[in-house]
């Protein structure tokens, strides 16, 4: 990408999209296009095609999606599969129709099989059964990956998919029930100083990546020579149990109450660290430690949500 290339960041107000937009601006890119949901409904195929026909973006970062934690995925599975399929179909097809130079699709670690060998390689995709609680979201994302590859194969469209570890950071969904695990914990510990109930038994292991590092990886890959539907993992190598994570967040926000574990609720996938040697061999590495990322996230939360 050149500094004056026309770049569309879909979902620019979300966790990843806001980080990508911020990173692009700080790196000197000066021709960034964004649209809020009220300005452009990405589930409306005609509106999306009209937008692409008028604006003619050269590069597209697809970070627009309906996302959430275990409870949200399990409760709203129909919305998760319909909305995500519709959004990505519209963006990929319009990018093809109007000659986008390169399209980067945001995948998810949850697309990999529940019991994939760890660390999980890109080749594990479609090699086993999915985690049932987020199957609808995962199926939608898998369809997006395969659609990118199909458009690359049939039409020669330059596409790329990044598969991140579990993400967190500013502009995340801090809803205590529907948000991802880190923002949901932050909200619960701050708003309920006496006692907090968390799902499962805390034994599940997770690898987390700060959204600023994800944005850096996205831009790094967009500027790489990889295309033709390539799938690339991005992670940190730092893995913690949910119970250890809860203690880290409790200490960081000053929570001194008690934590109860509701073992009637699911743990999710037991363990899924990523093998991200492909991107590190190209020269990319994360910059933020878990402690640094959590501190930045909690600071943003206190300044913007309280």
């Amino acid at each position: 990408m050149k500094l004056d290339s026309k770049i569309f960041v879909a979902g620019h107000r979300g966790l990843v999209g806001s980080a990508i937009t911020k990173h692009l601006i700080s790196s000197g890119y000066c021709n960034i296009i964004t649209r809020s949901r009220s300005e452009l409904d990405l589930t409306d195929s005609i509106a999306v095609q009209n937008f692409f026909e008028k604006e003619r973006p050269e590069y597209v970062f697809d970070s627009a999606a309906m996302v959430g934690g275990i409870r949200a995925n399990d409760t709203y599975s129909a919305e998760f599969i319909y909305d995500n399929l519709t959004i990505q179909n519209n963006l990929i097809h319009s990018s093809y129709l109007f000659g986008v130079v390169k399209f980067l699709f945001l995948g998810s670690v949850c697309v990999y099989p529940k019991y994939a060998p760890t660390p999980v390689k890109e080749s594990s995709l479609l090699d086993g059964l999915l985690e049932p609680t987020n199957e609808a979201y995962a199926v939608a994302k898998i369809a997006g990956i395969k659609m990118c590859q199909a458009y690359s194969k049939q039409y020669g469209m330059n596409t790329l998919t990044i598969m991140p570890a579990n993400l967190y950071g500013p502009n995340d969904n801090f809803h205590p029930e529907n948000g991802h695990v880190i923002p949901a914990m932050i909200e619960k510990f701050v708003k309920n100083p006496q006692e907090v109930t968390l799902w499962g038994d805390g034994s599940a292991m997770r690898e987390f990546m700060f959204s600023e590092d994800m944005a850096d990886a996205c831009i790094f890959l967009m500027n790489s020579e990889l295309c033709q539907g390539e799938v690339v993992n991005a992670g940190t190598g730092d893995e913690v149990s949910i119970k250890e994570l809860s203690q880290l967040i409790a200490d960081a926000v000053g929570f001194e109450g008690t934590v109860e574990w509701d073992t009637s609720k699911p743990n999710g996938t037991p363990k899924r660290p990523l093998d991200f040697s492909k991107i590190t061999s190209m020269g990319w590495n994360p910059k933020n430690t878990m402690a640094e990322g959590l501190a930045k996230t909690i600071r943003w939360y206190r300044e913007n949500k309280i």
Side-chain angles (χ1 to χ4, degrees):
M1 294 184 297
K2 297 178 181 178
L3 293 180
D4 62 350
S5 294
K6 204 164 191 180
I7 303 166
F8 176 43
V9 181
H12 76 286
R13 289 183 172 176
L15 170 64
V16 179
S18 62
I20 291 173
T21 304
K22 179 181 176 182
H23 200 309
L24 287 169
I25 293 170
S26 66
S27 299
Y29 292 94
C30 58
N31 198 2
I32 303 165
I33 314 166
T34 60
R35 291 291 187 275
S36 66
R37 187 175 302 176
S38 62
E39 294 171 317
L40 176 62
D41 179 1
L42 294 177
T43 65
D44 183 336
S45 61
I46 301 302
V48 173
Q49 287 192 26
N50 289 340
F51 165 78
F52 272 80
E53 184 175 22
K54 178 182 178 182
E55 295 294 341
R56 302 282 175 157
E58 298 170 83
Y59 297 88
V60 175
F61 291 89
D62 179 9
S63 59
M66 180 179 183
V67 298
I70 288 180
R71 181 182 181 277
N73 272 273
D74 205 26
T75 304
Y76 307 110
S77 56
E79 293 172 55
F80 269 80
I81 195 167
Y82 178 82
D83 286 354
N84 286 306
L85 281 171
T86 306
I87 289 168
Q88 65 203 30
N89 286 351
N90 291 339
L91 288 171
I92 295 168
H93 189 62
S94 288
S95 292
Y96 155 66
L97 289 177
F98 297 100
V100 164
V101 175
K102 195 169 183 178
F103 182 96
L104 187 141
F105 181 68
L106 177 62
S108 168
V109 65
C110 77
V111 306
Y112 288 121
K114 180 173 182 176
Y115 296 111
T118 58
V120 184
K121 297 179 180 293
E122 291 90 348
S123 58
S124 290
L125 185 66
L126 293 178
D127 201 28
L129 296 175
L130 300 167
E131 159 59 40
T133 58
N134 55 32
E135 185 178 64
Y137 178 74
V139 167
K141 283 295 183 181
I142 291 169
I145 295 166
K146 290 301 179 181
M147 187 172 180
C148 285
Q149 292 176 338
Y151 273 58
S152 290
K153 179 182 177 182
Q154 183 171 344
Y155 301 130
M157 180 178 167
N158 286 331
T159 67
L160 186 64
T161 295
I162 184 169
M163 306 281 261
N166 295 274
L167 298 170
Y168 69 98
N171 290 303
D172 208 341
N173 176 8
F174 287 82
H175 191 283
E177 303 300 334
N178 294 334
H180 288 125
V181 61
I182 286 181
M185 279 190 185
I186 292 172
E187 174 81 358
K188 285 183 176 182
F189 285 135
V190 171
K191 296 294 180 66
N192 304 280
Q194 302 302 318
E195 181 179 327
V196 164
T197 300
L198 301 176
W199 276 29
D201 60 15
S203 64
M205 302 294 292
R206 292 290 180 269
E207 177 187 19
F208 293 97
M209 183 162 67
F210 187 48
S211 57
E212 289 180 6
D213 288 321
M214 175 59 174
D216 186 54
C218 287
I219 295 167
F220 176 87
L221 287 175
M222 187 68 96
N223 281 318
S224 75
E225 295 182 357
L226 293 182
C227 57
Q228 298 302 305
E230 192 89 30
V231 176
V232 183
N233 288 342
T236 62
D238 295 328
E239 195 179 20
V240 297
S241 72
I242 297 300
K243 185 167 286 187
E244 291 169 334
L245 175 68
S246 69
Q247 190 60 57
L248 286 173
I249 294 175
D251 291 344
V253 302
F255 176 81
E256 296 181 349
T258 59
V259 176
E260 298 292 331
W261 295 91
D262 184 353
T263 56
S264 69
K265 298 297 193 294
N267 282 323
T269 301
K271 184 181 177 73
R272 57 183 182 196
L274 292 175
D275 179 338
F276 57 103
S277 57
K278 183 186 290 187
I279 192 171
T280 57
S281 70
M282 296 168 62
W284 180 87
N285 283 285
K287 297 179 176 62
N288 291 272
T289 65
M290 185 77 180
E292 291 168 337
L294 282 177
K296 291 178 181 179
T297 303
I298 292 168
R299 186 182 313 120
W300 182 90
Y301 170 83
R302 291 191 184 281
E303 292 174 353
N304 294 274
K305 293 293 184 178
I306 299 180

